[in-house]
Amino acid sequence: MSVLRGKNILLGITAGIAAYKTASLVRLFVKAGAEVKVIMTPAAKEFITPLTLSTLSKNPVYSSFIDEDDENAMWNNHVELGLWADLMVIAPATANTLSKMAQGNSDNLLVATYLSAKCPVYFAPAMDLDMYKHPSTKESFDKLREYGNIMIPAEHGELASGLIGEGRMAEPEGIVSFIENKIIEGQPLYDKTVLITAGPTYEAIDPVRFIGNHSSGKMGFAVAKAAIDLGATVLMVCGPTHESYQHDLLKMIAVTSAEDMYNAVHEHYGSVDIAIMAAAVSDFRPKQVAQNKIKKSDTALTLELEPTKDILESCGRLKKDQILVGFALETDNAIENAIQKLKKKNLDLIVLNSLQDEGAGFGTDTNKITLIDKDENISAMPLKSKLEVGTDIMNEILKHCDV
Ligand code: CTP
């Protein structure tokens, strides 16, 4: 999943031959989960049709302040478009448009929108090599960067003129990953590693049977997504689950039993910045695992169980600079029990789930939590989607912990 998911992207296209590549660029943004609106300079329509771009973006394409072909035309509001955008990308950006942007010369909708935009603005220059090197172009680049815009440098290669040099617009894939990396680098957990346990554990009775629980792993995955949105690299140690999630910043380590989870966690715990234990780890396991399937019989079967290792508690004991977060699932005296767990396991934060609350607990897409930090500050949250709860947990970690 890309950090561009859910973002509103305004793509400004100017009149350069590289405009033909913007069909792929729109497609890649949409594939990444972004909402895309396109503004073209009038001359850019000579290079790629608005129909192609509106079809790919599933939105109207804007190119003038009013649409002259439509007698009921409305004013295309550059201020509204500018405010709608989470980021604006001008690609290809010609020398002419860059100079207008640098001078604040808003004689077309694209530049007027750029001047109204409050979001980060990226520009991907595309022009012939001598234009690219010209001092006036360099001056535009410098001025635009000084204003806080982000340049996606042109590449070296064969140009439309047949000459070879610097000036080719970066390839659409390169533009997308450049923007994704910039967004991630600007996030508060960039360069941090978060270890998350999730899902149930299965404790073998014999080769076919196990002791398990109803945990779906959804809460752990929601926390992982929220951590990734904040730029973190996530190591997820996950028991058997139907949930799945793929992201460049996510490494999945699949385990089965509490012992496997314990070993996987301790392989990495020493080198992580934050550890969040959302797994529903079995507290007991059969003392003996039968080598062969236990046969049916008329007499009662007694299984002797032994405690598993408490992974969270062991992390609390070994804690150095890590921020350690645990969950507590309680049915009665919830707050007191959760505070006891927080202290006993040496945690920085505990997330209390109460099975008593409707819509909270195993298998649902919602949860109702109370957050308690090590100073015993208590914040009770309303019922929310697990994704929102994941974000609340990560925001609380950011607020309370000095990372
Ligand atoms: N936990 C763990 N290893 C275990 C048991 C629990 O890491 N063997 C972690 C869970 O992931 C959770 C926290 O400990 O973050 C609390 O789990 P919970 O089941 O609420 O509490 P327990 O400590 O198991 O105590 P009890 O079941 O008696 O309430």
Side-chain angles (χ1 to χ4, degrees), residues 198-202 212-217 238-241 255-257 261 279-282:
T201 62
Y202 287 179
N213 61 63
H214 293 298
S215 170
S216 60
C238 193
T241 173
V255 295
T256 306
S257 67
M261 191 173 274
V281 186
S282 182

Side-chain angles (χ1 to χ4, degrees), residues 197 277-283 308-313 325-330 341 345:
T197 65
M277 304 290 164
V281 186
S282 182
D283 289 330
T308 55
K309 292 175 192 153
D310 191 315
I311 304 166
L312 182 58
E313 199 175 337
V325 181
F327 277 64
L329 183 64
E330 304 294 342
K341 272 182 200 167
K345 302 193 185 189

Side-chain angles (χ1 to χ4, degrees), residues 84-362:
W84 171 84
D86 294 315
L87 58 112
M88 185 171 187
V89 185
I90 296 154
T94 57
N96 182 33
T97 292
L98 291 171
S99 154
K100 285 183 185 179
M101 286 164 63
Q103 301 305 322
N105 177 1
S106 56
D107 69 351
N108 65 38
L109 182 68
L110 195 157
V111 181
T113 308
Y114 156 73
L115 291 173
S116 307
K118 292 201 160 62
C119 59
V121 178
Y122 295 78
F123 62 97
M127 61 200 75
D128 214 59
L129 77 169
D130 294 315
M131 293 174 83
Y132 197 75
K133 279 198 295 225
H134 197 279
S136 66
T137 310
K138 294 272 181 226
E139 210 175 297
S140 299
F141 293 162
D142 292 345
K143 212 167 216 173
L144 288 170
R145 279 192 290 225
E146 194 188 303
Y147 294 155
N149 303 293
I150 305 154
M151 176 163 154
I152 306 174
E155 292 173 359
H156 190 276
E158 189 177 342
L159 300 158
S161 60
L163 298 172
I164 293 177
E166 216 176 1
R168 270 167 74 109
M169 185 180 82
E171 291 301 320
E173 288 80 5
I175 292 178
V176 172
S177 53
F178 183 99
I179 296 170
E180 285 175 330
N181 288 339
K182 265 278 176 283
I183 292 175
I184 290 168
E185 282 168 22
Q187 294 303 310
L189 292 184
Y190 173 65
D191 255 2
K192 303 283 177 208
T193 305
V194 181
L195 175 69
I196 299 175
T197 65
T201 62
Y202 287 179
E203 310 304 324
I205 297 171
D206 68 13
V208 287
R209 303 180 182 94
F210 60 84
I211 297 172
N213 61 63
H214 293 298
S215 170
S216 60
K218 285 184 180 179
M219 196 59 248
F221 275 84
V223 177
K225 285 177 194 170
I228 287 170
D229 283 347
L230 291 170
T233 298
V234 172
L235 285 177
M236 182 128 160
V237 180
C238 193
T241 173
H242 295 298
E243 293 294 304
S244 68
Y245 181 54
Q246 284 183 346
H247 196 287
D248 291 348
L249 291 173
L250 176 71
K251 183 176 175 219
M252 281 290 289
I253 303 165
V255 295
T256 306
S257 67
E259 185 71 15
D260 297 341
M261 191 173 274
Y262 179 95
N263 291 333
V265 164
H266 283 290
E267 199 177 309
H268 300 283
Y269 181 62
S271 60
V272 303
D273 302 286
I274 300 170
I276 305 169
M277 304 290 164
V281 186
S282 182
D283 289 330
F284 294 95
R285 65 178 181 189
K287 198 164 181 185
Q288 301 289 340
V289 180
Q291 291 302 306
N292 300 312
K293 188 181 167 203
I294 301 171
K295 298 303 278 181
K296 185 162 63 182
S297 87
D298 291 338
T299 56
L301 173 72
T302 303
L303 286 175
E304 193 182 350
L305 302 180
E306 64 179 5
T308 55
K309 292 175 192 153
D310 191 315
I311 304 166
L312 182 58
E313 199 175 337
S314 64
C315 290
R317 277 197 305 272
L318 294 171
K319 193 163 81 160
K320 289 201 172 89
D321 298 326
Q322 300 93 334
I323 290 152
L324 186 58
V325 181
F327 277 64
L329 183 64
E330 304 294 342
T331 51
D332 51 282
N333 294 330
I335 300 273
E336 295 89 278
N337 286 341
I339 291 176
Q340 254 184 24
K341 272 182 200 167
L342 176 93
K343 303 259 175 244
K344 184 170 164 235
K345 302 193 185 189
N346 190 22
L347 310 182
D348 297 286
L349 184 72
I350 195 154
V351 183
L352 168 63
N353 287 288
S354 169
L355 269 186
Q356 243 79 8
D357 292 313
E358 204 172 310
F362 289 147

